[in-house]
Amino acid sequence: MVKSKYEAHFDFNLRKGKASCKHCGAFITCGSGKEKSTTGLRYHVEKTHEIRIQEEATEAEPVEKKSKLGNMTSFLEKKTAEDLIAHEAAMGASFNYLAKSFLIKKGMRNEGFNAPANHRTVKEYVCKSAETHRQKLIKNLKKSVQDGQRFSIITDEWTCTNKNRKYVNINLRQNGQDTNLGLQAVNGSLTAMKLKDMVVSKTESIGLNFDNHIIGITCDGCSVNTKMGKEINITMQLCLAHAIQLAVIDIFYKGNCEGSDKKNLDPESLDESIKSKAESPEPDPEEEYEDDDDNNFDNLTDDTAIEKGLEIAEDFLGLIKKIRKVVTTFAGRSSRLHELLQSSIKEWQRKKNLPERGQSLRRDCPTRWSSMATMIESVRKVKEPLQDTLKDFPDLALTDEDFNKIDKILEVLTPLKEAVEKLCSEKANLLYAESIFSVIFENLAESESKLSHRMLIALKKRVEERWDNETSGLLKYLSNSATLKEKKVEKIFKVPTRSALESFAMKLIKRLFPSPEISVDKFDNEVEVALENQDEKKLSFEEQVKAKMNKFVTPKPVDLTTSQALKTLRKEMDIYEATNEKSPNLKYLFEALKQISPTSVASERAFSCSGSIVTKKRSCLDDGTINDLCFLQGVFKNK
């Protein structure tokens, strides 16, 4: 810092903020404290007395300049103006705000970026950022394809109320991570052929071949998706989370949703219905889909089923209404009744030597069965203090019989709610889904209540409608070859025969891995010799086979159209069953099958995020910009 020597020529009066000159006695205002200044003193000495003093300056320590953008840029590998603006726009900031905000402009200029001049420039930044990240995605996918990786697709339809328009969302799944490819607008009614063309064109736009690079597609069970599944050449997996939703509707709500028949939900009719379904001929596609596809799209196959007019069944209606009335009365945090209940809860916690913490009752959403389970659970947790509080409110009193019914309802809904949360995780696959349903089936079967038994039958029926035995069976087999010989297994999840698995695996290999680099390896007669003469060798059988496999690791491609290919695949499967070591081809196939998602929740997440993009104040965005913003939202989320 620069230390002034002019102060030696003055006497200071700090209280008045003035200094008197020692030469002439003049008073000069100089301020005091932090506002003290020597500029006036210097001017007086130099001009009046012609005294010039040479200042001795010392360099100040450099102060590190902090970025004013802070965390807004920390997520970026390489900061660009386009990515900064696109990130804020994808998170919900309007184009006009980004163009007019003084703080954003100042922050970008401090970082050396060109701030957008108007909302048109913001749109250009968004489009440029989206194109840049698409090219990066295409480059990464190309490398993944060369490494033998395959992908699955998750798709669903969404109607935007703010724009009164339908959109189709497509997600690409790779290694347990979902990449949102954006929202594509639907012009006119959505038919199966139009949906297929949209999915194929979106896949090809990112450099993938729909037939060779996509192992399967996951969607809900509406008629349009079901019809599309019959017209495409890849595996179709219907959302299993919707199976739980439909089973809950079958038991707890009035009316019939798609395929619902409560009269047949008894133990004897279940096996008969499955048997009759297997023996019944295939329906004529023209008769099955003679109605307009657009009208059938909104069938009651998801959470909107309750919104379509289904009411709670009479068996539970009285109890649910009473619980809702109690929760509505005591849930308001500002009401005296809420304080009364909380004081009763804390007193009960002190008696039980529990930590004192408030437990509020949770209201439910009438159109979400999971929220009903949460509401009932919040009431059950405070049973004793709630009953004590309700003694003064006879109209709202919950008896022990009511709580017995609550226990039976929670015994059914709680595991289903947890199952949905597990199924909807990003890393869930068909193996994980089968484990979840097996646990649910076992828990419901062990229960002695009639409600649990009814739910078990309804859930098995719904899962059986959406389960693909070939796909899941081959995945189980490649995960553990011993599953082929399992006898005590649920009928729905039974692994097909070895010959059926061979045919299905051969079909997938021909479609997914036709290139010479990863085609079926050609084994010669030495493998058969090793298998036949294993007793004559000094090495163990497992060691012999491993040695032969190491010898034939170099791919020797064969024509997959010949009968020799199936024979070669059988040899690889024999070695796998003997040593539990997969050949490169089986490894590729196993990794590909694991990419199939059991639910379409990735698209539901995209629709929830899109609600912050297409709002009433941003209803003028064109379809291309909406597509770019939705894609960028997924890109920045995965960083």
Side-chain angles (χ1 to χ4, degrees):
M1 294 181 63
V2 178
K3 184 177 181 181
S4 177
K5 292 187 177 181
Y6 290 95
E7 298 179 2
H9 298 270
F10 295 88
D11 292 327
F12 292 91
N13 189 341
L14 299 179
R15 292 184 179 180
K16 295 182 178 181
K18 293 183 179 182
S20 61
C21 180
K22 294 181 179 179
H23 302 286
C24 63
F27 286 93
I28 309 298
T29 302
C30 63
S32 60
K34 293 183 179 180
E35 298 179 356
K36 183 179 178 180
S37 174
T38 60
T39 304
L41 307 181
R42 179 176 180 176
Y43 183 81
H44 175 77
V45 170
E46 291 180 354
K47 296 299 182 182
T48 305
H49 305 288
E50 297 181 353
I51 300 175
R52 294 184 178 275
I53 301 175
Q54 186 177 2
E55 299 283 358
E56 294 180 359
T58 58
E59 294 184 359
E61 296 181 359
V63 180
E64 183 180 356
K65 185 178 180 181
K66 295 183 179 180
S67 172
K68 294 189 177 181
L69 290 180
N71 294 330
M72 190 173 76
T73 62
S74 60
F75 73 98
L76 295 171
E77 297 177 0
K78 184 179 179 180
K79 295 180 286 187
T80 62
E82 291 80 6
D83 282 347
L84 290 176
I85 293 298
H87 176 266
E88 297 305 307
M91 295 301 110
S94 67
F95 287 7
N96 284 326
Y97 169 76
L98 294 174
K100 297 178 181 179
S101 174
F102 171 77
L103 292 177
I104 291 179
K105 287 185 176 182
K106 184 179 178 181
M108 293 187 67
R109 286 167 184 159
N110 290 341
E111 290 291 325
F113 298 132
N114 293 326
N118 49 50
H119 68 278
R120 295 183 183 86
T121 312
V122 174
K123 182 179 178 180
E124 292 176 1
Y125 281 10
V126 169
C127 295
K128 186 176 180 180
S129 176
E131 185 60 27
T132 301
H133 286 288
R134 282 197 185 94
Q135 294 303 320
K136 289 181 181 179
L137 176 63
I138 292 173
K139 184 178 179 180
N140 294 334
L141 292 178
K142 184 177 180 180
K143 183 179 179 182
S144 298
V145 170
Q146 292 175 351
D147 294 338
Q149 295 186 21
R150 292 300 180 261
F151 318 90
S152 71
I153 284 177
I154 305 169
T155 183
D156 202 353
E157 179 265 356
W158 175 55
T159 301
C160 177
T161 56
N162 293 324
K163 291 180 71 69
N164 193 24
R165 189 160 190 180
K166 286 185 178 180
Y167 293 90
V168 171
N169 172 256
I170 300 173
N171 281 267
L172 187 71
R173 187 179 181 87
Q174 176 189 12
N175 296 330
Q177 186 176 31
D178 301 322
T179 302
N180 185 0
L181 300 181
L183 290 177
Q184 197 161 349
V186 179
N187 297 320
S189 61
L190 184 62
T191 61
M193 289 302 299
K194 184 181 291 187
L195 180 59
K196 175 187 173 183
D197 293 339
M198 293 174 70
V199 173
V200 172
S201 62
K202 178 65 75 172
T203 306
E204 293 177 350
S205 68
I206 56 175
L208 297 179
N209 185 290
F210 184 74
D211 292 327
N212 300 133
H213 299 153
I214 305 300
I215 175 67
I217 183 170
T218 304
C219 54
D220 58 19
C222 65
S223 61
V224 172
N225 291 334
T226 306
K227 186 176 181 181
M228 180 190 69
K230 294 183 178 181
E231 295 179 353
I232 59 179
N233 192 30
I234 67 174
T235 303
M236 167 69 78
Q237 176 61 54
L238 299 181
C239 180
L240 294 175
H242 286 168
I244 297 178
Q245 166 73 15
L246 293 173
V248 172
I249 292 175
D250 289 338
I251 301 300
F252 287 94
Y253 292 87
K254 292 181 181 178
N256 289 335
C257 54
E258 180 192 8
S260 175
D261 188 4
K262 293 186 180 181
K263 295 180 181 180
N264 294 329
L265 292 181
D266 56 80
E268 297 179 357
S269 63
L270 179 63
D271 295 334
E272 295 178 1
S273 63
I274 297 176
K275 183 178 179 181
S276 63
K277 182 177 179 180
E279 296 176 352
S280 61
E282 289 291 330
D284 187 0
E286 296 182 358
E287 295 181 1
E288 186 176 1
Y289 302 103
E290 61 181 1
D291 295 335
D292 181 42
D293 288 329
D294 187 48
N295 295 333
N296 289 335
F297 196 91
D298 292 326
N299 283 342
L300 306 179
T301 57
D302 54 13
D303 283 350
T304 58
I306 307 173
E307 298 177 5
K308 298 289 183 178
L310 295 179
E311 298 179 356
I312 296 176
E314 295 180 358
D315 298 346
F316 314 99
L317 183 60
L319 178 60
I320 299 301
K321 280 186 174 181
K322 186 186 292 187
I323 293 175
R324 282 176 178 166
K325 193 172 182 180
V326 170
V327 171
T328 304
T329 303
F330 290 93
R333 291 183 178 274
S334 60
S335 65
R336 293 183 178 178
L337 295 178
H338 174 77
E339 296 177 358
L340 178 64
L341 177 60
Q342 293 304 311
S343 62
S344 179
I345 291 174
K346 291 179 179 179
E347 183 180 355
W348 170 73
Q349 290 173 342
R350 284 193 294 269
K351 291 180 180 179
K352 297 291 184 178
N353 294 326
L354 299 174
E356 295 185 19
R357 55 179 67 174
Q359 295 186 8
S360 300
L361 302 181
R362 303 286 297 275
R363 292 188 177 94
D364 73 323
C365 176
T367 59
R368 296 291 184 269
W369 68 266
S370 57
S371 66
M372 182 178 71
T374 303
M375 177 187 68
I376 297 175
E377 186 178 4
S378 68
V379 171
R380 180 63 184 85
K381 287 181 178 179
V382 293
K383 173 184 176 181
E384 295 182 12
L386 183 60
Q387 283 184 324
D388 293 338
T389 306
L390 292 177
K391 290 179 180 179
D392 299 331
F393 304 90
D395 296 338
L396 302 176
L398 291 172
T399 63
D400 291 338
E401 184 178 354
D402 292 335
F403 277 99
N404 289 335
K405 292 181 180 179
I406 288 175
D407 291 337
K408 293 179 180 179
I409 293 175
L410 289 178
E411 187 180 14
V412 172
L413 292 184
T414 300
L416 294 182
K417 182 182 173 183
E418 294 176 356
V420 171
E421 294 176 357
K422 297 294 184 182
L423 277 175
C424 295
S425 62
E426 292 186 353
K427 295 185 179 181
N429 54 36
L430 294 179
L431 280 177
Y432 193 49
E434 180 176 338
S435 301
I436 291 173
F437 282 113
S438 298
V439 172
I440 293 177
F441 292 162
E442 291 175 2
N443 292 341
L444 292 177
E446 291 175 359
S447 176
E448 298 180 356
S449 67
K450 294 182 179 179
L451 180 60
S452 299
H453 195 56
R454 289 174 57 198
M455 178 56 71
L456 174 63
I457 297 172
L459 186 59
K460 282 186 176 181
K461 179 182 177 183
R462 291 301 184 178
V463 173
E464 191 268 340
E465 292 172 353
R466 294 166 176 257
W467 197 260
D468 187 353
N469 270 51
E470 281 189 334
T471 305
S472 62
L474 181 58
L475 181 59
K476 282 178 62 178
Y477 171 77
L478 294 177
S479 176
N480 183 6
S481 60
T483 56
L484 192 63
K485 301 178 181 179
E486 283 184 350
K487 296 182 179 180
K488 295 182 179 180
V489 63
E490 195 69 39
K491 186 177 181 181
I492 302 173
F493 308 131
K494 189 175 181 180
V495 179
T497 61
R498 166 69 185 267
S499 60
L501 292 179
E502 291 172 356
S503 302
F504 185 60
M506 194 72 252
K507 178 182 176 182
L508 290 179
I509 290 176
K510 286 181 179 180
R511 180 172 68 85
L512 296 173
F513 308 114
S515 61
E517 289 79 12
I518 49 178
S519 58
V520 179
D521 295 344
K522 186 178 181 180
F523 285 76
D524 58 16
N525 294 330
E526 295 185 16
V527 178
E528 295 183 1
V529 173
L531 294 174
E532 294 174 358
N533 302 329
Q534 53 178 309
D535 297 333
E536 301 176 2
K537 303 290 183 179
K538 296 181 180 180
L539 300 177
S540 65
F541 173 75
E542 183 175 350
E543 292 173 341
Q544 295 174 43
V545 178
K546 284 185 178 181
K548 292 297 180 181
M549 287 190 66
N550 293 332
K551 183 178 180 180
F552 299 108
V553 292
T554 304
K556 300 178 182 179
V558 296
D559 185 4
L560 295 178
T561 60
T562 63
S563 58
Q564 184 67 22
L566 183 58
K567 184 179 179 181
T568 305
L569 179 63
R570 287 173 179 169
K571 292 179 181 179
E572 292 189 4
M573 296 177 73
D574 289 337
I575 294 174
Y576 166 61
E577 292 180 8
T579 65
N580 205 26
E581 293 287 339
K582 303 182 186 69
S583 66
N585 304 292
L586 296 182
K587 286 181 180 178
Y588 283 125
L589 191 57
F590 179 58
E591 293 299 325
L593 289 169
K594 288 198 298 184
Q595 304 309 317
I596 300 177
S597 173
T599 68
S600 59
V601 71
S603 291
E604 300 295 342
R605 290 193 184 102
F607 297 150
S608 298
C609 296
S610 300
S612 63
I613 296 176
V614 190
T615 62
K616 292 182 179 179
K617 293 183 179 181
R618 307 178 76 184
S619 59
C620 294
L621 292 173
D622 59 76
D623 295 331
T625 307
I626 293 174
N627 182 42
D628 289 342
L629 289 173
C630 187
F631 169 71
L632 289 171
Q633 205 171 51
V635 169
F636 295 134
K637 177 185 175 183
N638 291 333
K639 277 188 176 288

mmCIF file of all heavy atoms in Angstrom, residues 452-477:
data_model
loop_
_atom_site.group_PDB
_atom_site.id
_atom_site.type_symbol
_atom_site.label_atom_id
_atom_site.label_comp_id
_atom_site.label_asym_id
_atom_site.label_seq_id
_atom_site.Cartn_x
_atom_site.Cartn_y
_atom_site.Cartn_z
ATOM 1 N N SER A 452 -54.961 -59.885 1.397
ATOM 2 C CA SER A 452 -53.653 -60.217 0.828
ATOM 3 C C SER A 452 -53.772 -61.303 -0.223
ATOM 4 O O SER A 452 -53.101 -61.263 -1.264
ATOM 5 C CB SER A 452 -52.690 -60.675 1.934
ATOM 6 O OG SER A 452 -52.484 -59.659 2.884
ATOM 7 N N HIS A 453 -54.670 -62.269 0.025
ATOM 8 C CA HIS A 453 -54.856 -63.359 -0.933
ATOM 9 C C HIS A 453 -55.472 -62.827 -2.228
ATOM 10 O O HIS A 453 -55.063 -63.225 -3.330
ATOM 11 C CB HIS A 453 -55.747 -64.429 -0.311
ATOM 12 C CG HIS A 453 -55.723 -65.733 -1.041
ATOM 13 N ND1 HIS A 453 -54.557 -66.442 -1.285
ATOM 14 C CD2 HIS A 453 -56.728 -66.453 -1.607
ATOM 15 C CE1 HIS A 453 -54.841 -67.549 -1.946
ATOM 16 N NE2 HIS A 453 -56.155 -67.575 -2.159
ATOM 17 N N ARG A 454 -56.429 -61.934 -2.107
ATOM 18 C CA ARG A 454 -57.042 -61.340 -3.308
ATOM 19 C C ARG A 454 -56.026 -60.507 -4.096
ATOM 20 O O ARG A 454 -55.976 -60.551 -5.325
ATOM 21 C CB ARG A 454 -58.228 -60.467 -2.907
ATOM 22 C CG ARG A 454 -59.451 -61.238 -2.403
ATOM 23 C CD ARG A 454 -60.507 -60.273 -1.892
ATOM 24 N NE ARG A 454 -60.901 -59.325 -2.921
ATOM 25 C CZ ARG A 454 -61.535 -58.185 -2.680
ATOM 26 N NH1 ARG A 454 -61.807 -57.833 -1.423
ATOM 27 N NH2 ARG A 454 -61.879 -57.392 -3.678
ATOM 28 N N MET A 455 -55.203 -59.763 -3.363
ATOM 29 C CA MET A 455 -54.190 -58.958 -4.041
ATOM 30 C C MET A 455 -53.164 -59.847 -4.737
ATOM 31 O O MET A 455 -52.668 -59.516 -5.828
ATOM 32 C CB MET A 455 -53.503 -58.040 -3.028
ATOM 33 C CG MET A 455 -52.383 -57.192 -3.619
ATOM 34 S SD MET A 455 -52.898 -56.165 -5.006
ATOM 35 C CE MET A 455 -53.904 -54.963 -4.134
ATOM 36 N N LEU A 456 -52.805 -60.965 -4.123
ATOM 37 C CA LEU A 456 -51.861 -61.890 -4.734
ATOM 38 C C LEU A 456 -52.386 -62.387 -6.081
ATOM 39 O O LEU A 456 -51.648 -62.418 -7.076
ATOM 40 C CB LEU A 456 -51.607 -63.064 -3.788
ATOM 41 C CG LEU A 456 -50.745 -64.207 -4.333
ATOM 42 C CD1 LEU A 456 -49.343 -63.712 -4.649
ATOM 43 C CD2 LEU A 456 -50.702 -65.366 -3.344
ATOM 44 N N ILE A 457 -53.652 -62.742 -6.125
ATOM 45 C CA ILE A 457 -54.239 -63.247 -7.368
ATOM 46 C C ILE A 457 -54.289 -62.150 -8.427
ATOM 47 O O ILE A 457 -53.935 -62.368 -9.596
ATOM 48 C CB ILE A 457 -55.651 -63.804 -7.091
ATOM 49 C CG1 ILE A 457 -55.568 -64.998 -6.137
ATOM 50 C CG2 ILE A 457 -56.338 -64.214 -8.380
ATOM 51 C CD1 ILE A 457 -56.900 -65.495 -5.646
ATOM 52 N N ALA A 458 -54.712 -60.961 -8.026
ATOM 53 C CA ALA A 458 -54.809 -59.852 -8.983
ATOM 54 C C ALA A 458 -53.434 -59.457 -9.514
ATOM 55 O O ALA A 458 -53.266 -59.196 -10.714
ATOM 56 C CB ALA A 458 -55.480 -58.652 -8.315
ATOM 57 N N LEU A 459 -52.436 -59.434 -8.630
ATOM 58 C CA LEU A 459 -51.100 -59.029 -9.050
ATOM 59 C C LEU A 459 -50.479 -60.066 -9.980
ATOM 60 O O LEU A 459 -49.834 -59.707 -10.986
ATOM 61 C CB LEU A 459 -50.218 -58.828 -7.813
ATOM 62 C CG LEU A 459 -48.818 -58.260 -8.069
ATOM 63 C CD1 LEU A 459 -48.901 -56.901 -8.759
ATOM 64 C CD2 LEU A 459 -48.043 -58.142 -6.765
ATOM 65 N N LYS A 460 -50.663 -61.347 -9.678
ATOM 66 C CA LYS A 460 -50.142 -62.387 -10.562
ATOM 67 C C LYS A 460 -50.762 -62.290 -11.951
ATOM 68 O O LYS A 460 -50.074 -62.449 -12.968
ATOM 69 C CB LYS A 460 -50.418 -63.777 -9.966
ATOM 70 C CG LYS A 460 -49.478 -64.184 -8.854
ATOM 71 C CD LYS A 460 -49.731 -65.615 -8.434
ATOM 72 C CE LYS A 460 -48.726 -66.058 -7.376
ATOM 73 N NZ LYS A 460 -48.947 -67.460 -6.966
ATOM 74 N N LYS A 461 -52.054 -62.012 -11.984
ATOM 75 C CA LYS A 461 -52.737 -61.894 -13.274
ATOM 76 C C LYS A 461 -52.172 -60.737 -14.081
ATOM 77 O O LYS A 461 -51.912 -60.865 -15.284
ATOM 78 C CB LYS A 461 -54.229 -61.706 -13.031
ATOM 79 C CG LYS A 461 -55.044 -61.550 -14.308
ATOM 80 C CD LYS A 461 -56.498 -61.317 -13.984
ATOM 81 C CE LYS A 461 -57.285 -61.090 -15.279
ATOM 82 N NZ LYS A 461 -58.721 -60.794 -14.989
ATOM 83 N N ARG A 462 -51.963 -59.589 -13.445
ATOM 84 C CA ARG A 462 -51.467 -58.406 -14.150
ATOM 85 C C ARG A 462 -50.019 -58.576 -14.594
ATOM 86 O O ARG A 462 -49.646 -58.153 -15.691
ATOM 87 C CB ARG A 462 -51.607 -57.175 -13.254
ATOM 88 C CG ARG A 462 -53.044 -56.746 -13.014
ATOM 89 C CD ARG A 462 -53.726 -56.428 -14.310
ATOM 90 N NE ARG A 462 -55.068 -55.922 -14.117
ATOM 91 C CZ ARG A 462 -55.872 -55.533 -15.111
ATOM 92 N NH1 ARG A 462 -55.450 -55.630 -16.360
ATOM 93 N NH2 ARG A 462 -57.074 -55.087 -14.851
ATOM 94 N N VAL A 463 -49.193 -59.188 -13.754
ATOM 95 C CA VAL A 463 -47.796 -59.395 -14.117
ATOM 96 C C VAL A 463 -47.690 -60.410 -15.248
ATOM 97 O O VAL A 463 -46.886 -60.245 -16.184
ATOM 98 C CB VAL A 463 -46.979 -59.856 -12.894
ATOM 99 C CG1 VAL A 463 -45.567 -60.246 -13.298
ATOM 100 C CG2 VAL A 463 -46.933 -58.753 -11.848
ATOM 101 N N GLU A 464 -48.516 -61.449 -15.188
ATOM 102 C CA GLU A 464 -48.483 -62.477 -16.227
ATOM 103 C C GLU A 464 -48.849 -61.894 -17.599
ATOM 104 O O GLU A 464 -48.320 -62.329 -18.630
ATOM 105 C CB GLU A 464 -49.433 -63.609 -15.844
ATOM 106 C CG GLU A 464 -49.301 -64.860 -16.683
ATOM 107 C CD GLU A 464 -50.243 -64.850 -17.871
ATOM 108 O OE1 GLU A 464 -51.222 -64.094 -17.841
ATOM 109 O OE2 GLU A 464 -49.986 -65.612 -18.822
ATOM 110 N N GLU A 465 -49.726 -60.890 -17.613
ATOM 111 C CA GLU A 465 -50.109 -60.246 -18.866
ATOM 112 C C GLU A 465 -48.955 -59.478 -19.503
ATOM 113 O O GLU A 465 -48.917 -59.303 -20.723
ATOM 114 C CB GLU A 465 -51.278 -59.283 -18.632
ATOM 115 C CG GLU A 465 -52.569 -59.957 -18.260
ATOM 116 C CD GLU A 465 -53.639 -58.947 -17.842
ATOM 117 O OE1 GLU A 465 -53.313 -57.747 -17.722
ATOM 118 O OE2 GLU A 465 -54.791 -59.381 -17.639
ATOM 119 N N ARG A 466 -47.999 -59.033 -18.697
ATOM 120 C CA ARG A 466 -46.933 -58.157 -19.188
ATOM 121 C C ARG A 466 -45.546 -58.808 -19.156
ATOM 122 O O ARG A 466 -44.577 -58.139 -19.513
ATOM 123 C CB ARG A 466 -46.899 -56.873 -18.336
ATOM 124 C CG ARG A 466 -48.132 -56.025 -18.500
ATOM 125 C CD ARG A 466 -48.251 -54.954 -17.443
ATOM 126 N NE ARG A 466 -49.404 -54.103 -17.715
ATOM 127 C CZ ARG A 466 -49.341 -52.883 -18.232
ATOM 128 N NH1 ARG A 466 -48.177 -52.355 -18.505
ATOM 129 N NH2 ARG A 466 -50.432 -52.190 -18.480
ATOM 130 N N TRP A 467 -45.457 -60.045 -18.749
ATOM 131 C CA TRP A 467 -44.150 -60.675 -18.594
ATOM 132 C C TRP A 467 -43.765 -61.432 -19.861
ATOM 133 O O TRP A 467 -44.561 -62.182 -20.412
ATOM 134 C CB TRP A 467 -44.164 -61.633 -17.404
ATOM 135 C CG TRP A 467 -42.789 -62.003 -16.950
ATOM 136 C CD1 TRP A 467 -42.119 -63.155 -17.236
ATOM 137 C CD2 TRP A 467 -41.916 -61.222 -16.139
ATOM 138 N NE1 TRP A 467 -40.888 -63.147 -16.660
ATOM 139 C CE2 TRP A 467 -40.723 -61.961 -15.984
ATOM 140 C CE3 TRP A 467 -42.012 -59.975 -15.539
ATOM 141 C CZ2 TRP A 467 -39.650 -61.487 -15.243
ATOM 142 C CZ3 TRP A 467 -40.943 -59.502 -14.808
ATOM 143 C CH2 TRP A 467 -39.784 -60.254 -14.660
ATOM 144 N N ASP A 468 -42.525 -61.257 -20.298
ATOM 145 C CA ASP A 468 -41.984 -61.940 -21.472
ATOM 146 C C ASP A 468 -41.040 -63.033 -20.993
ATOM 147 O O ASP A 468 -39.929 -62.766 -20.542
ATOM 148 C CB ASP A 468 -41.243 -60.947 -22.370
ATOM 149 C CG ASP A 468 -40.805 -61.581 -23.680
ATOM 150 O OD1 ASP A 468 -40.957 -62.807 -23.820
ATOM 151 O OD2 ASP A 468 -40.313 -60.845 -24.561
ATOM 152 N N ASN A 469 -41.496 -64.289 -21.097
ATOM 153 C CA ASN A 469 -40.710 -65.411 -20.569
ATOM 154 C C ASN A 469 -39.417 -65.634 -21.342
ATOM 155 O O ASN A 469 -38.400 -66.018 -20.760
ATOM 156 C CB ASN A 469 -41.554 -66.691 -20.604
ATOM 157 C CG ASN A 469 -42.338 -66.882 -19.325
ATOM 158 O OD1 ASN A 469 -43.033 -65.969 -18.892
ATOM 159 N ND2 ASN A 469 -42.236 -68.042 -18.717
ATOM 160 N N GLU A 470 -39.448 -65.421 -22.646
ATOM 161 C CA GLU A 470 -38.246 -65.676 -23.441
ATOM 162 C C GLU A 470 -37.122 -64.719 -23.058
ATOM 163 O O GLU A 470 -35.997 -65.136 -22.802
ATOM 164 C CB GLU A 470 -38.571 -65.540 -24.936
ATOM 165 C CG GLU A 470 -39.269 -66.749 -25.521
ATOM 166 C CD GLU A 470 -39.368 -66.639 -27.023
ATOM 167 O OE1 GLU A 470 -39.373 -65.499 -27.539
ATOM 168 O OE2 GLU A 470 -39.440 -67.679 -27.689
ATOM 169 N N THR A 471 -37.442 -63.418 -23.002
ATOM 170 C CA THR A 471 -36.413 -62.422 -22.704
ATOM 171 C C THR A 471 -35.881 -62.587 -21.286
ATOM 172 O O THR A 471 -34.664 -62.645 -21.058
ATOM 173 C CB THR A 471 -36.979 -61.011 -22.888
ATOM 174 O OG1 THR A 471 -37.520 -60.881 -24.203
ATOM 175 C CG2 THR A 471 -35.904 -59.964 -22.692
ATOM 176 N N SER A 472 -36.796 -62.657 -20.314
ATOM 177 C CA SER A 472 -36.357 -62.801 -18.926
ATOM 178 C C SER A 472 -35.706 -64.150 -18.682
ATOM 179 O O SER A 472 -34.747 -64.262 -17.905
ATOM 180 C CB SER A 472 -37.549 -62.613 -17.982
ATOM 181 O OG SER A 472 -38.538 -63.613 -18.225
ATOM 182 N N GLY A 473 -36.201 -65.199 -19.352
ATOM 183 C CA GLY A 473 -35.620 -66.529 -19.170
ATOM 184 C C GLY A 473 -34.194 -66.610 -19.686
ATOM 185 O O GLY A 473 -33.317 -67.195 -19.039
ATOM 186 N N LEU A 474 -33.939 -66.009 -20.857
ATOM 187 C CA LEU A 474 -32.576 -66.017 -21.387
ATOM 188 C C LEU A 474 -31.646 -65.182 -20.510
ATOM 189 O O LEU A 474 -30.484 -65.554 -20.292
ATOM 190 C CB LEU A 474 -32.587 -65.476 -22.819
ATOM 191 C CG LEU A 474 -31.233 -65.433 -23.544
ATOM 192 C CD1 LEU A 474 -30.617 -66.834 -23.598
ATOM 193 C CD2 LEU A 474 -31.391 -64.856 -24.942
ATOM 194 N N LEU A 475 -32.145 -64.077 -19.988
ATOM 195 C CA LEU A 475 -31.334 -63.255 -19.094
ATOM 196 C C LEU A 475 -30.997 -64.010 -17.814
ATOM 197 O O LEU A 475 -29.857 -63.953 -17.321
ATOM 198 C CB LEU A 475 -32.081 -61.955 -18.765
ATOM 199 C CG LEU A 475 -31.363 -60.957 -17.862
ATOM 200 C CD1 LEU A 475 -30.034 -60.529 -18.474
ATOM 201 C CD2 LEU A 475 -32.237 -59.741 -17.589
ATOM 202 N N LYS A 476 -31.961 -64.742 -17.251
ATOM 203 C CA LYS A 476 -31.705 -65.548 -16.055
ATOM 204 C C LYS A 476 -30.686 -66.650 -16.348
ATOM 205 O O LYS A 476 -29.788 -66.919 -15.541
ATOM 206 C CB LYS A 476 -33.011 -66.170 -15.549
ATOM 207 C CG LYS A 476 -33.909 -65.228 -14.784
ATOM 208 C CD LYS A 476 -35.191 -65.920 -14.364
ATOM 209 C CE LYS A 476 -34.928 -67.068 -13.438
ATOM 210 N NZ LYS A 476 -36.183 -67.719 -12.995
ATOM 211 N N TYR A 477 -30.843 -67.264 -17.500
ATOM 212 C CA TYR A 477 -29.930 -68.355 -17.867
ATOM 213 C C TYR A 477 -28.501 -67.848 -18.008
ATOM 214 O O TYR A 477 -27.548 -68.488 -17.538
ATOM 215 C CB TYR A 477 -30.410 -68.989 -19.176
ATOM 216 C CG TYR A 477 -29.430 -69.974 -19.774
ATOM 217 C CD1 TYR A 477 -29.292 -71.256 -19.248
ATOM 218 C CD2 TYR A 477 -28.635 -69.614 -20.858
ATOM 219 C CE1 TYR A 477 -28.388 -72.155 -19.795
ATOM 220 C CE2 TYR A 477 -27.733 -70.505 -21.413
ATOM 221 C CZ TYR A 477 -27.615 -71.766 -20.879
ATOM 222 O OH TYR A 477 -26.714 -72.659 -21.412
#
